[in-house]
Amino acid sequence: MKKKFLLNYVCFLASVISIMLFNSCERHKTTEDAALTDSLKTTSENNVVIPDFNEDTAYAFIAKQVSFGPRIPGTSAQTKCAQWLHGKLNSYC
């Protein structure tokens, strides 16, 4: 009988703690969402033009990255890919 009571008590406490953690995470997430929404409003006020997504270009970028080979940190393939990405992203600025 004591084991059953103890098991029920532990399950109850675990449920309460889970609910408290879930609720605390939800409030934190809402704060971040509000900051993101404010950021998006600022971006739209600046009239930023966002280009349409092009599947062929995305595929070409992925193919280029894969062509460097395994990009393990510290290898020449990773360095070459990083340099290419840096140059490609800078070309859009």
Side-chain angles (χ1 to χ4, degrees), residues 51-67 84-85 88 92:
D52 291 332
F53 181 78
N54 185 319
E55 298 88 1
D56 296 329
T57 304
Y59 182 81
F61 289 158
I62 297 299
K64 179 67 175 175
Q65 290 179 50
V66 171
S67 73
W84 174 78
L85 280 171
K88 180 55 76 176
Y92 294 111

Side-chain angles (χ1 to χ4, degrees), residues 21-68:
L21 288 174
F22 179 74
N23 285 339
S24 67
C25 290
E26 191 64 35
R27 280 188 218 115
H28 181 66
K29 192 175 184 180
T30 303
T31 305
E32 288 176 355
D33 288 344
L36 180 60
T37 302
D38 291 343
S39 173
L40 290 175
K41 286 179 184 175
T42 303
T43 303
S44 64
E45 290 171 0
N46 294 334
N47 296 325
V48 175
V49 177
I50 300 173
D52 291 332
F53 181 78
N54 185 319
E55 298 88 1
D56 296 329
T57 304
Y59 182 81
F61 289 158
I62 297 299
K64 179 67 175 175
Q65 290 179 50
V66 171
S67 73
F68 290 109

